[in-house]
Amino acid sequence: MLISSKNLLLTARAGGFAIPHFNFWDEMSARAHVAAAEQKQVPILLAWAQKHEADIDIDEALNLGKFYGAQAKVPIVLHLDHGFSPDLVKYGVDHGFTSVMIDASAEKFDKNIAVTKDVVDYAHQRGVVVEAEIGHVGTGLSEDDANQYTEVDAAVEFVKRTQVDSLAVSIGTSHGVYKSAQTPHLNFERLSELRKAVSVPLVLHGGSSSGDENLRKAATLGITKVNIYTDLANAALHAAQAQEYENVLKMIEAEQRSVELLDEHYIDVFNTVKLNQAEHAIALGTL
């Protein structure tokens, strides 16, 4: 079933766990993510990112996401991840995403606020929740690049002026593959400060290869959603390259299984809980 992320993330914040955010880049990956969620009986965010539009455009992603999300036996949030174009994000709002992210974090602070508020106003009028980002999540090229932490006062002002529903913050993770093999250092002190000061759920990007203990601790300290993509794409690639398959279907089955297993691992890392009847009702917004 497809749901909004609003009450789901609030439920996670109250429970001290995180909801997995798994990006899909084709039908195999979408199918794998939903299968893992059903196996573990937990909700997830099934996400398409604008950067993947060369491989799967927004309409294809909507068709896949709505098909697999609607028939799922667990709550699924169909999320538009890292939408850099406000027009594309608004298109997503109008055509079936139940949650969207407008990413104007590369802009100056006031411009980020203006772009985000415009999308928030548009989406809220149509019953869709919005995530935004403040601070600088790195690109995987350098750990130093990843350590430009979100400022507490700026985060408070940003939420107040935009009325955004959740906020992606920078505490030391990075997008893509880390340059060093070492597990990154996360600023848990800053995370705790943000959790106390910011009124909306906090989310974490760049979860891949950031360390299981780091991610588990982040969830207990207030992160309500963790984004995973790179590890999943690499798992599928390695499965495809592991051996010669008798046909393409066998290779796709191997890819899907590798992605499912890694999804299940991260679900355990995030302490994602099976929603009881009351929590399920809260997440669906019926209680």
Side-chain angles (χ1 to χ4, degrees), residues 10-50:
L10 291 172
T11 301
R13 185 172 67 173
F17 61 91
I19 306 296
H21 169 292
F22 297 138
N23 286 93
F24 69 96
W25 57 95
D26 58 13
E27 183 174 5
M28 176 280 296
S29 52
R31 190 167 57 244
H33 299 330
V34 172
E38 291 183 332
Q39 175 64 30
K40 302 295 283 188
Q41 298 179 43
V42 300
I44 64 167
L45 277 83
L46 182 64
W48 172 82
Q50 183 178 349

Side-chain angles (χ1 to χ4, degrees), residues 7 66 96 119 134 136 175 177 181 282:
N7 289 327
K66 286 191 285 189
V119 171
I134 184 174
H136 179 74
H175 292 299
V177 179
I282 291 170

Side-chain angles (χ1 to χ4, degrees), residues 102-147:
I102 177 65
D103 185 358
S105 60
E107 303 286 354
K108 292 184 177 179
F109 184 69
D110 285 339
K111 180 67 178 293
N112 189 356
I113 287 176
V115 172
T116 301
K117 188 177 186 308
D118 174 62
V119 171
V120 168
D121 289 345
Y122 187 90
H124 282 183
Q125 290 173 9
R126 292 156 179 81
V128 176
V129 297
V130 181
E131 172 188 332
E133 182 174 315
I134 184 174
H136 179 74
V137 178
T139 60
L141 300 178
S142 165
E143 277 73 9
D144 292 336
D145 183 49
N147 287 332

Side-chain angles (χ1 to χ4, degrees), residues 170-192:
S170 175
I171 59 169
T173 55
S174 178
H175 292 299
V177 179
Y178 288 100
K179 183 177 181 180
S180 168
Q182 294 182 337
T183 301
H185 170 76
L186 302 191
N187 190 335
F188 293 115
E189 181 179 358
R190 178 61 53 86
L191 172 57
S192 296

